[in-house]
Each structure stands twice: as structure tokens, then as C-alpha cells.
């Protein structure tokens, strides 16, 4: 597990959390999240960062789980935190061929009330190459993801 990444992501969440809580609520917040309470720092954010810095690396997954369970996060924050957590967990390897076969057999019309709307939304993520399924619905076979120039 990439503890540096996990620590950085939790720090990003703490940047938003300090705005939601008063200074008096910070010790209870730290306790709920499994962070050691800290009185270092002159601002709420500095105290939360000091608390995170005092947290041992092996406790970070528990803190991340607590944040995911108890705090309201934006979708991007939630997904990044989940991805970082799940990277360190055991998972079953699924061969590419099996994934392709499953995708080929998956019929969206069985799972969506409005497949045309879904496909239009899905197409916004990039350029899709589609094939027609037996029911006439387009299904994605490849996506050219948009890469932003840095």
C-alpha cells in the first residue's frame, strides 16, 4: 500500500474538514476518525495536519475507512481514497480475454431504463468505437481517453 499517497489524500480531505467543524469539535472528530488528538498549531487546519502527521503509517487505512464511512466527500475525493485503499488489498486477477468476453456479452438494455441516454453520457468521456448488439443498442468496445497536456 502506498502510505505516502494515502496520507496525501487524507490531508486533502482534512483541508475541507476543518471548515466544517469548530475548534471545540476537532478532538471529537480526531477520535472518530482514529487520529491522535493534537494541540499543536494555531489554526484548525494546522492542528488536523499535526494530528495526521502524528498518526502511524499502519493506522492510515483505518483512518481512510473512517473518513469514507463518516464524512461527506466529493466524488473525486471519495474515488481517489477508495482506489488508494483498494490498491493494497488482495484481489482476483481476471484475464483480459475474460473481461473482453464478458463485455461483449453484456447487454445494456437489460440493465438500463434509458440506454440511449446512458450511451450519450458515456460518449462524453472520449471517443467511443461501437458495435451493434443483437438488440440494436450500441456497445462500447474501446475508449480513447482524453489526456490533458501538462
Amino acid at each position: 500500500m502506498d502510505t505516502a499517497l494515502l496520507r496525501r489524500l487524507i490531508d486533502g480531505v482534512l483541508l475541507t474538514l476543518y471548515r466544517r467543524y469548530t475548534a471545540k469539535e476537532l478532538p471529537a472528530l480526531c477520535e472518530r476518525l482514529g487520529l491522535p488528538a493534537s494541540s499543536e498549531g494555531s489554526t484548525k487546519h494546522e492542528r488536523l495536519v499535526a494530528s495526521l502527521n502524528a498518526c502511524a503509517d499502519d493506522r492510515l487505512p483505518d483512518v481512510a475507512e473512517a473518513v469514507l464511512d463518516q464524512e461527506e466527500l466529493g466524488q473525486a475525493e471519495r474515488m481517489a481514497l477508495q482506489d488508494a485503499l483498494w490498491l493494497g488489498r488482495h484481489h482476483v486477477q481476471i484475464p483480459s480475454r475474460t473481461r473482453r468476453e464478458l463485455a461483449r456479452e453484456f447487454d445494456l438494455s437489460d440493465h438500463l431504463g434509458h440506454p440511449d441516454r446512458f450511451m450519450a453520457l458515456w460518449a462524453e468521456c472520449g471517443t467511443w468505437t461501437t458495435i451493434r448488439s443483437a438488440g440494436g443498442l450500441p456497445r462500447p468496445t474501446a475508449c480513447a481517453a482524453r489526456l490533458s497536456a501538462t
Side-chain angles (χ1 to χ4, degrees), residues 72-85:
E72 221 176 284
L73 302 175
Q75 182 181 7
E77 281 181 318
R78 176 169 296 283
M79 289 174 63
L81 202 51
Q82 287 172 337
D83 288 346
L85 270 177

Side-chain angles (χ1 to χ4, degrees), residues 70-149:
Q70 299 175 24
E71 295 300 325
E72 221 176 284
L73 302 175
Q75 182 181 7
E77 281 181 318
R78 176 169 296 283
M79 289 174 63
L81 202 51
Q82 287 172 337
D83 288 346
L85 270 177
W86 295 344
L87 279 175
R89 294 190 179 157
H90 176 71
H91 61 280
V92 176
Q93 291 288 340
I94 301 174
S96 298
R97 179 179 177 182
T98 304
R99 289 194 308 269
R100 284 192 305 271
E101 289 172 358
L102 286 171
R104 191 174 16 257
E105 296 301 319
F106 187 74
D107 188 6
L108 288 176
S109 63
D110 293 340
H111 304 282
L112 299 172
H114 302 280
D116 53 333
R117 293 180 190 170
F118 177 76
M119 293 305 295
L121 181 64
W122 205 356
E124 289 179 16
C125 94
T127 305
W128 288 93
T129 305
T130 60
I131 58 172
R132 295 280 172 186
S133 66
L137 292 173
R139 291 190 309 193
T141 56
C143 177
R146 287 184 244 172
L147 298 175
S148 60

Side-chain angles (χ1 to χ4, degrees), residues 23-44:
K24 292 179 182 177
E25 296 172 322
L26 289 185
L29 172 66
C30 288
E31 185 178 329
R32 254 194 1 259
L33 298 180
L35 289 169
S38 176
S39 59
E40 295 178 27
S42 58
T43 66
K44 293 185 296 184

Side-chain angles (χ1 to χ4, degrees), residues 7 35-38 40 48-57:
R7 190 174 293 275
L35 289 169
S38 176
E40 295 178 27
L48 284 174
V49 169
S51 181
L52 177 61
N53 290 339
C55 185
D57 285 348

